[in-house]
Amino acid sequence: MTVRRCAAALAAASAVLGGAAQAAFADGTPSPAAVPPGLYGTKDPQYDGVFRQSLAFLAQEKAGVKPAARAVSWLTGQQCESGAFTAFRADAAKPCDPKAMLDTNATSAAVQALVALGGHDDAVKKGAGWLKSVQNDDGGWAYNPGSKSDANSTAIVIGALAAAGEKPAEVKSAKGGKSPFDGLLAFALPCDDPSASSEGAGGDPNGGGAFAYQADLKTGKLYANADATAAAVTGSLGKGLTATAGPADAKGTACEKATTPEQAAHNGAAYLVRTLAPTGFLKSAMPGAADQPDFGNTADAVVALAAAGQAQQAKASADWLAKNATAWAKENGPAAYAQLVFAADATGADPTNFGGVNLVTSLNATGPAPESAASPAASSGTSDKKSDEKNDGISVWWIVGVGLVAGIGVGFLISGRKKNQQL
């Protein structure tokens, strides 16, 4: 998920800056932003600072951990006067640049985190108000305001609005009167949709009932996307990033005609079950990536399945994560640890002994020591130190970003997680 956020942020920057974006990478050795005190993680925060801090707080709240005051102050200080958040502001003492890339995903994650922390009602209200102000006519949201809606952004905004006490179904677009759920349904593939089995990039013969990230910009077709489906299932149920287990789905995995968000969520969850069943994990959808597991998207799918009442596959995939994903989390830091905490919590697993790793202790070690914890941290012998997340040389964010911009081209990046990134 975090690498995809990097790609999406670069896409947005390319769209706005054009040639300037390419010039920034001209020498191939851009300087990563410094990591300020109070921020979790040691990697360049330019594309995910607010997002990873917010996920860290949400995971700590699940574990009864109270984060350090300076960590909370860092997040609240990132909010713009409008209520929006960017991915990262190096100098929060200055007003937000009018040209800053405002980010619905970062804002939505921050709103959910601030609600979980408690005591930030004004910031939550401003954040939710800004999100409502940039709703697209189709009822959905784009990663950055002014672009076309996508399923992932629409879903995470729904979670933020619900956390803030709004009723998402009643948040209607100014033109057209569309709700966020109308926006999500537009990305749902019918059970027998021929585009789900079309050949070429994005084709998936098992894609009926899935969600697309966006409609193809040229043809308008929808292509099944497991990442978007996991997000959209959770959003269609009106839940957020830390969704918990829902009642068992008596319909099993049969696909049905979907005219309501709940029916679309059922179909999306059924698609995820079919996709996960052979291996337990989702495969990487990054262009050019080897045929390998995508740990972050698998964790998101676990939460979505648990929320949709598909407990059996959710547990099976959570067990797979416990056996295989802790090294990935160690390398990727706070957001990755948080995703595993969410998956463990949604399936009733113990985050303090997840594959032999205490996820909570490991997460806490990536940032300022928390003020308090619900209970003494269990020792797993595998807790991470903040230095474990460091990379030699250029940050992995820049490596991924430069590679995407140079190797794929701005046109592809603007299309986001579309048909060339399908599973």
Side-chain angles (χ1 to χ4, degrees):
M1 177 175 68
T2 50
V3 174
R4 276 181 177 72
R5 287 185 51 74
C6 177
L10 284 167
S14 299
V16 172
L17 300 177
Q22 295 184 14
F25 303 119
D27 65 358
T29 56
S31 299
V35 178
L39 177 61
Y40 281 78
T42 58
K43 294 180 180 178
D44 181 0
Q46 184 170 357
Y47 299 111
D48 81 326
V50 167
F51 200 82
R52 77 194 194 203
Q53 191 85 339
S54 299
L55 263 64
F57 290 161
L58 286 167
Q60 288 177 324
E61 190 273 337
K62 286 284 187 183
V65 174
K66 183 177 181 180
R70 64 173 175 161
V72 177
S73 295
W74 182 88
L75 180 62
T76 57
Q78 289 286 301
Q79 189 172 32
C80 298
E81 181 60 32
S82 66
F85 285 78
T86 63
F88 172 74
R89 286 201 293 147
D91 187 356
K94 297 180 180 179
C96 288
D97 188 329
K99 298 181 180 179
M101 300 293 291
L102 302 180
D103 183 337
T104 62
N105 288 230
T107 302
S108 296
V111 166
Q112 293 180 62
L114 293 171
V115 170
L117 289 168
H120 299 279
D121 292 352
D122 288 344
V124 169
K125 183 177 180 180
K126 289 178 63 176
W130 178 79
L131 288 169
K132 290 193 291 184
S133 75
V134 295
Q135 184 179 23
N136 285 339
D137 292 346
D138 61 7
W141 281 264
Y143 193 99
N144 300 109
S147 300
K148 292 186 64 175
S149 298
D150 65 79
N152 295 61
S153 298
T154 302
I156 196 173
V157 172
I158 288 174
L161 294 175
E166 300 279 350
K167 295 181 179 179
E170 298 178 4
V171 177
K172 302 294 182 67
S173 59
K175 293 182 180 179
K178 298 288 188 178
S179 78
F181 298 117
D182 293 324
L184 276 184
L185 280 170
F187 301 117
L189 278 71
C191 299
D192 59 351
D193 192 294
S195 64
S197 58
S198 62
E199 295 182 0
D204 182 352
N206 201 34
F211 284 80
Y213 172 70
Q214 283 179 328
D216 184 275
L217 296 180
K218 292 183 178 179
T219 67
K221 290 183 179 179
L222 301 177
Y223 294 94
N225 182 304
D227 179 21
T229 301
V233 166
T234 308
S236 294
L237 296 171
K239 298 184 178 183
L241 292 167
T242 60
T244 54
D249 187 347
K251 298 176 182 177
T253 58
C255 193
E256 62 180 9
K257 182 177 180 180
T259 58
T260 68
E262 294 79 12
Q263 290 169 334
H266 161 79
N267 288 347
Y271 163 79
L272 290 174
V273 170
R274 296 194 302 270
T275 305
L276 287 162
T279 61
F281 60 84
L282 297 177
K283 295 179 181 179
S284 176
M286 290 298 290
D291 191 6
Q292 61 189 1
D294 188 318
F295 300 103
N297 285 345
T298 300
D300 292 344
V302 167
V303 174
L305 288 175
Q310 297 286 357
Q312 183 176 353
Q313 184 60 58
K315 184 181 185 305
S317 291
D319 290 344
W320 182 90
L321 287 169
K323 294 177 182 177
N324 297 281
T326 53
W328 162 79
K330 182 176 181 179
E331 165 62 23
N332 287 278
Y337 280 123
Q339 286 179 273
L340 295 185
V341 170
F342 302 157
D345 179 76
T347 56
D350 183 0
T352 67
N353 184 17
F354 195 73
V357 174
N358 188 327
L359 298 175
V360 180
T361 299
S362 299
L363 169 61
N364 292 344
T366 67
E371 290 190 7
S372 63
S375 60
S379 176
S380 67
T382 56
S383 297
D384 292 344
K385 298 298 182 182
K386 199 174 178 76
S387 61
D388 287 339
E389 195 197 347
K390 293 180 180 178
N391 286 326
D392 293 331
I394 301 173
S395 164
V396 68
W397 293 102
W398 286 110
I399 294 172
V400 173
V402 173
L404 284 170
V405 172
I408 302 169
V410 172
F412 174 81
L413 285 172
I414 293 174
S415 69
R417 289 164 288 192
K418 279 175 57 287
K419 66 177 184 179
N420 288 335
Q421 298 183 9
Q422 309 307 313
L423 295 180

